[in-house]
Amino acid sequence: MVEVLKSSFEDLFPIIETCIRESSFVAFDTEFTGLTADSSNTETLFDDGPARYAKKRRDVQQFIMVQIGLSAFIEIPHENRYRVHTFNFYVYPGSFGSVNVKFLCQASALEFLCRHNFDFNKFIYDGISYLNEEQEKVLCNEIEELSVATDAECDYDEITVQEISSKISEWLATAKNEDKLVLEKPPSVSDYVLHSQLRQRFPAIWTISVDRLHVQCAKITEEKKSIILKEHEMENERLNELINFSVFWFEYMLKNKS
């Protein structure tokens, strides 16, 4: 079984894609933060298939998916058996703009996840983001209207950002164009907020995430920055990050294996 996280999704995607394309069929299962939210949705002996499905759907919509297991079955010619490739995806609904998902948790469901070694840190810190179609449309409209605003922007860790800013100020005093500075990325500030704040405070630099733990600052000219800004619109980059798993699941999986 291969574990798939936000930090490894892009690297593993070609392997996953090949396995799905070559498979005869796929199977998947899911884990949620709960299963039953309302006693009015309890199944009865008089429920037919559609009624039972509708009740389950209403219940599960109040929880969120935290993990998806996907197995691709590839037939081995002339041997009457299959080779199975299994991938385990941690997924997490990242927040951005007005999209800030609220969900229920059920104690028994969380206890079940704990008993089966579910890693809640990986789920939150390194879960692959996803959006549904409605959420994607909302964010696209906000980006077009320049009205993107996040709770994190209004309530970020100013002291931590100021500490990083002080280090950059000291470095800029002697830095030359194209010089680079790598700093530790604070866990209390999101990537989006960190980059937007540093780029606003220091027009002479450009920042990128080196990995999950470090951010790189480069001193650049105004001309080079204008070129970079045209190529890298941070809001669209964040949107693409959020729909990463949605694109894979709905646009690739369903089209290829429906």
Side-chain angles (χ1 to χ4, degrees):
M1 183 183 70
V2 178
E3 185 176 79
V4 187
L5 304 170
K6 179 169 62 177
S7 56
S8 61
F9 181 63
E10 288 190 14
D11 291 335
L12 290 171
F13 182 80
I15 299 172
I16 300 169
E17 182 182 25
T18 299
C19 289
I20 294 171
R21 187 174 61 251
E22 295 179 353
S23 67
S24 300
F25 61 93
V26 298
F28 67 92
D29 67 351
T30 57
E31 300 294 345
F32 288 83
T33 56
L35 292 175
T36 54
D38 191 338
S39 59
S40 65
N41 290 323
T42 303
E43 300 170 26
T44 72
L45 294 174
F46 301 101
D47 292 336
D48 58 11
R52 179 175 293 184
Y53 172 79
K55 286 183 176 180
K56 287 293 186 184
R57 185 173 184 270
R58 284 196 298 271
D59 249 340
V60 81
Q61 282 180 323
Q62 301 183 64
F63 302 101
I64 61 166
M65 194 181 300
V66 299
Q67 199 171 53
I68 297 177
L70 172 68
S71 293
F73 292 77
I74 301 174
E75 185 175 7
I76 300 175
H78 314 299
E79 294 189 26
N80 195 31
R81 64 192 182 96
Y82 294 88
R83 183 172 64 254
V84 184
H85 297 271
T86 299
F87 303 92
N88 188 27
F89 301 84
Y90 277 85
V91 292
Y92 179 77
S95 63
F96 186 56
S98 63
V99 175
N100 190 9
V101 178
K102 300 176 180 67
F103 58 91
L104 297 180
C105 289
Q106 191 171 6
S108 59
L110 300 186
E111 290 166 1
F112 172 85
L113 292 173
C114 285
R115 286 198 302 272
H116 291 82
N117 302 314
F118 181 83
D119 191 324
F120 287 90
N121 282 322
K122 287 181 180 178
F123 160 59
I124 295 174
Y125 287 111
D126 211 8
I128 308 167
S129 298
Y130 60 91
L131 296 173
N132 60 35
E133 290 184 0
E134 183 180 345
Q135 292 168 334
E136 184 180 349
K137 288 178 182 177
V138 168
L139 283 184
C140 285
N141 288 335
E142 290 180 357
I143 289 172
E144 288 178 3
E145 297 169 4
L146 302 177
S147 59
V148 175
T150 69
D151 290 341
E153 284 183 291
C154 303
D155 191 28
Y156 63 87
D157 188 347
E158 169 62 31
I159 294 176
T160 301
V161 174
Q162 187 56 51
E163 288 175 354
I164 295 176
S165 297
S166 297
K167 294 177 182 178
I168 295 175
S169 293
E170 293 177 12
W171 169 71
L172 277 176
T174 57
K176 300 176 182 178
N177 284 332
E178 306 300 330
D179 281 356
K180 295 179 176 63
L181 173 68
V182 176
L183 298 168
E184 287 190 10
K185 194 187 300 180
S188 59
V189 183
S190 71
D191 282 8
Y192 177 79
V193 171
L194 181 63
H195 289 302
S196 62
Q197 285 295 319
L198 294 181
R199 292 173 189 177
Q200 288 173 18
R201 298 180 187 206
F202 302 100
I205 70 167
W206 185 254
T207 60
I208 61 170
S209 292
V210 179
D211 51 39
R212 288 178 56 204
L213 302 176
H214 298 89
V215 60
Q216 176 182 282
C217 306
K219 185 174 181 180
I220 57 176
T221 62
E222 288 186 17
E223 182 181 1
K224 185 170 182 178
K225 187 166 186 176
S226 64
I227 294 172
I228 293 175
L229 284 171
K230 291 178 182 178
E231 297 175 350
H232 300 277
E233 294 184 0
M234 196 157 47
E235 286 77 12
N236 284 314
E237 288 179 356
R238 176 62 174 146
L239 177 60
N240 289 333
E241 178 187 325
L242 287 169
I243 64 174
N244 229 350
F245 193 77
S246 308
V247 170
F248 161 71
W249 192 259
F250 294 106
E251 295 188 15
Y252 183 80
M253 270 290 298
L254 296 185
K255 284 181 181 178
N256 283 272
K257 290 299 171 184
S258 57

